[in-house]
Amino acid sequence: MTKSERYRTQPRAAWKRALIAVPVVGISVLGLAAGAAIGKRLATGASADDYAFFDELVEVKHLLSQRYVDAPDDARLREGAIRGMVEALDDPYTVYVPAAEQRNFNKDLTGEYVGIGAQVNQQEGWLTIVSPLEDSPAFRAGLMAEDRVVEIDGKSTQGLSVDECIDLLLGEPGTSVVLTVERSGERSQITIVRERIKTRAVKGFRRSDADPNAWDYLIDPNRRIAYIRLTQFTPGCADEVEAALRSVGADSGALGGLVLDLRFNPGGLLNEAEKIADLFLAEGVIVSTRGRAHPEQVRRAEAPGTLPDFPIVLLLNGQSASASEVLAGALVENNRAVAVGTRSFGKGSVQSVLHLPSGNGSELKLTEQGYYLPSGRSLSRKDDSPAWGVDPTDGFYVPVTDAELIAMLEVRRKNEVLRAAGGTPPTGNWSDPEWVLEELKDAQLAAAVKAMRGKIDTGAWVKTGQAGQAVTAIGLAEAARLTQLRERMLRELDRTDRRLEALESAVGEVKPQDLWADSAEVSGGVVEIRDKNGALIATLDVTGPDLERWLVDAPVKPRPATPQR
């Protein structure tokens, strides 16, 4: 097989719905990291090497300004240079946030913003209300689920993206926005005064009949089993969790057990995860962090404020990330909880949000540390690691199909809708736990409740998932996903080959860059790297036959042959 043939046959090496509040499904971009230090100022102790670093950049900037065919936009050049440096780190969690994007970035990070307080979507080209938020201006003004917002301050929403509509709805506290709303075929105008909105991170399994702003948490009243879903680690969410627990008697010993749902929780503030863990742990390591510029810090649980003991089941899936994994790992490794579901995402890095003094409001979300579970293990998911994140406890691996997941999320969204006072809530026998679990169409939740019932009734956990093979099954599932991805890439490569062959039939064969003769055997050879003056920089042993394949896209080319004398 020639090199040209080898190149042909060998392959080469987050649903986000913009909302005025939080994502409808609860899935968010996984850049929201544990340990964000908001408001931290950047120290300006630059060294001589730091300034020398910019010499070539200054030269390029000068040449572009003086000689490029059109006058360049300095702001775009500066932003492009910064983004280029950040992207060169090859770290998806280190992100430059220009001033223009800061509002949306901080809204995603903290759950706080100024607006009307409603979840929105787009249906048939129009902005549509999914649900107003609890105690929000939208709710008090009478906005309802499925209301079609046809105009915002006189501007039609037809054809506008959700993001464009949200920009029209956000604003300053105390300012008004006029919505033209279509409901049951009739249109009316509603004036809403914008307020500072704080998204609630804690939810139950359905809205309360007595108070639509509140949630029902007792999913099995007879055994006093509570269900709490934490959507994100926003500022103050630990207090929300504690208040929900106290409302069902966790502080008085009246709670039989807790199912804490961390599925689709992308993380957030590390200190909130630590506070929640400390509610359940009287002692033991919660998490440790360390990085090149930071000494190791170990966070330990303290006895004061710890709630009375009750069994805990954690629900995890592949979208449980960052601070979710810190909390789950702390409780599981301290033998305080069992985990049900599937393996978590595997993000073990800590970011800080740094304000850039010269950036007119821009920020840098920078990976500074890694965090480690009580056992000392990193959670990070890397290309060469067969394990990552937090696994379900042995016997509690409960995978779900895409169809099952979609059905569960549709029911969840229906039960989350906030209805006006006097509105008709979803009907059904909500006092019957068996009916509730069937209605929610959530196999992982049903497995968690069944396990909890066994623990309460017999004192022993009842294994309700795949026993003894969770790690193997997870590995097989991931291998299957990657195999499917590889097959898609190969099919795309085949399509590319067919298109290339069609073109070459007209113009002739186009061969890849040929660096040396096909007959050459380079395995076991040596590569010398020299600088522009000829000084030897490095000597590399060639350990395989495919060196040329990897050099084809490198910034190298063959030198002209040296004449023999």
Side-chain angles (χ1 to χ4, degrees):
M1 180 181 292
T2 67
K3 285 179 293 187
S4 179
E5 290 170 332
R6 284 206 307 271
Y7 297 138
R8 298 284 184 87
T9 58
Q10 295 181 8
R12 298 188 183 186
W15 183 25
K16 179 186 175 184
R17 177 62 67 190
L19 305 173
I20 309 173
V22 294
V24 174
V25 184
I27 304 175
S28 182
V29 177
L30 294 173
L32 297 178
I38 301 173
K40 191 174 180 181
R41 285 287 176 182
L42 179 66
T44 56
S47 67
D49 288 342
D50 291 327
Y51 287 111
F53 172 86
F54 290 100
D55 289 347
E56 190 174 3
L57 290 178
V58 172
E59 292 169 1
V60 171
K61 167 60 172 65
H62 175 73
L63 291 173
L64 293 176
S65 298
Q66 297 297 315
R67 305 182 65 170
Y68 183 65
V69 61
D70 298 315
D73 184 326
D74 282 357
R76 292 186 65 185
L77 291 179
R78 179 174 59 252
E79 184 174 320
I82 296 172
R83 289 188 187 277
M85 284 192 291
V86 171
E87 289 172 3
L89 297 173
D90 196 24
D91 174 12
Y93 308 117
T94 293
V95 180
Y96 168 65
V97 185
E101 300 174 15
Q102 185 187 35
R103 181 176 68 180
N104 287 335
F105 173 76
N106 288 335
K107 175 164 72 78
D108 287 340
L109 184 66
T110 66
E112 298 179 359
Y113 62 98
V114 175
I116 67 171
Q119 296 176 345
V120 297
N121 207 331
Q122 191 181 57
Q123 294 182 9
E124 300 176 353
W126 299 95
L127 186 72
T128 304
I129 302 297
V130 174
S131 175
L133 300 184
E134 297 95 339
D135 194 28
S136 67
F139 179 67
R140 294 193 297 271
L143 276 184
M144 298 182 184
E146 300 182 2
D147 279 350
R148 174 177 288 180
V149 181
V150 296
E151 291 183 356
I152 302 173
D153 282 336
K155 184 171 183 177
S156 174
T157 66
Q158 176 68 42
L160 294 183
S161 69
V162 175
D163 285 335
E164 289 171 326
C165 292
I166 289 175
D167 286 339
L168 296 174
L169 292 168
L170 299 178
E172 297 299 321
T175 60
S176 297
V177 59
V178 179
L179 308 184
T180 302
V181 175
E182 183 178 291
R183 180 186 303 160
S184 301
E186 297 184 1
R187 294 189 178 188
S188 61
Q189 287 192 337
I190 300 177
T191 300
I192 303 178
V193 178
R194 298 180 179 96
E195 294 179 7
R196 192 168 298 281
I197 305 297
K198 171 65 172 70
T199 305
R200 296 185 188 177
V202 171
K203 302 179 186 294
F205 66 95
R206 75 162 193 141
R207 299 239 179 225
S208 170
D209 288 339
D211 179 3
N213 284 291
W215 291 87
D216 280 345
Y217 299 113
L218 284 179
I219 197 166
D220 186 335
N222 295 329
R223 294 179 176 83
R224 303 288 298 176
I225 299 174
Y227 168 84
I228 292 177
R229 176 158 58 92
L230 182 61
T231 62
Q232 189 176 335
F233 290 83
T234 54
C237 72
D239 293 335
E240 291 184 50
V241 170
E242 184 173 6
L245 287 168
R246 291 184 183 278
S247 74
V248 292
D251 56 331
S252 64
L255 184 62
L258 170 66
V259 177
L260 181 59
D261 193 345
L262 299 177
R263 293 173 298 177
F264 302 107
N265 185 322
L269 303 182
L270 179 61
N271 64 313
E272 295 293 334
E274 294 169 2
K275 290 178 182 178
I276 296 172
D278 199 28
L279 286 174
F280 305 123
L281 296 172
E283 60 181 6
V285 173
I286 296 174
V287 67
S288 61
T289 58
R290 57 182 180 269
R292 183 169 63 92
H294 298 271
E296 182 178 29
Q297 293 186 347
V298 180
R299 279 80 163 184
R300 298 180 180 275
E302 298 178 352
T306 304
L307 294 172
D309 191 64
F310 46 81
I312 300 173
V313 174
L314 301 171
L315 283 174
L316 299 176
N317 68 1
Q319 285 73 47
S320 306
S322 196
S324 295
E325 298 173 288
V326 169
L327 175 57
L331 297 183
V332 170
E333 292 197 352
N334 280 290
N335 298 315
R336 184 64 184 86
V338 298
V340 171
T342 57
R343 179 180 285 174
S344 64
F345 179 79
K347 180 183 178 297
S349 58
V350 184
Q351 281 71 47
S352 296
V353 178
L354 308 172
H355 294 283
L356 302 178
S358 302
N360 298 317
S362 60
E363 297 174 335
L364 182 67
K365 182 162 75 73
L366 176 66
T367 300
E368 291 194 290
Q369 302 180 77
Y371 60 75
Y372 300 84
L373 295 180
S375 62
R377 181 174 66 87
S378 171
L379 294 166
S380 291
R381 176 179 186 151
K382 298 179 180 179
D383 289 343
D384 59 352
S385 58
W388 60 86
V390 177
D391 278 342
T393 305
D394 181 34
F396 294 97
Y397 174 54
V398 185
V400 294
T401 65
D402 289 345
E404 290 172 329
L405 181 62
I406 291 170
M408 182 270 285
L409 292 174
E410 287 178 348
V411 173
R412 173 185 288 184
R413 182 170 63 178
K414 179 183 69 175
N415 290 324
E416 282 187 356
V417 171
L418 180 59
R419 292 169 173 81
T424 303
T427 58
N429 190 7
W430 293 99
S431 61
D432 179 2
E434 299 302 329
W435 182 91
V436 170
L437 292 176
E438 180 68 25
E439 171 70 11
L440 295 180
K441 293 180 170 52
D442 189 340
Q444 292 171 331
L445 174 58
V449 172
K450 182 178 179 180
M452 182 66 73
R453 288 171 175 169
K455 178 67 171 176
I456 293 172
D457 294 347
T458 68
W461 289 107
V462 175
K463 294 185 176 183
T464 52
Q466 298 182 19
Q469 58 176 349
V471 174
T472 301
I474 291 168
L476 287 172
E478 180 70 3
R481 186 188 69 82
L482 291 175
T483 299
Q484 186 180 44
L485 174 62
R486 184 177 183 274
E487 290 301 316
R488 287 200 300 266
M489 294 173 68
L490 287 173
R491 287 195 298 271
E492 183 61 31
L493 186 61
D494 286 340
R495 283 192 289 268
T496 302
D497 283 344
R498 289 195 297 270
R499 294 173 63 190
L500 184 59
E501 288 169 2
L503 290 171
E504 288 181 340
S505 66
V507 302
E509 184 179 3
V510 178
K511 295 183 178 181
Q513 181 177 215
D514 204 13
L515 299 180
W516 52 76
D518 289 357
S519 59
E521 293 291 340
V522 298
S523 183
V526 175
V527 174
E528 290 186 350
I529 307 298
R530 298 179 180 272
D531 66 15
K532 64 181 181 179
N533 297 318
L536 185 65
I537 300 299
T539 301
L540 309 175
D541 290 328
V542 181
T543 59
D546 295 327
L547 177 62
E548 187 180 23
R549 175 186 169 203
W550 298 102
L551 288 177
V552 164
D553 294 325
V556 298
K557 63 181 181 180
R559 278 192 173 188
T562 302
Q564 299 294 322
R565 296 185 181 181

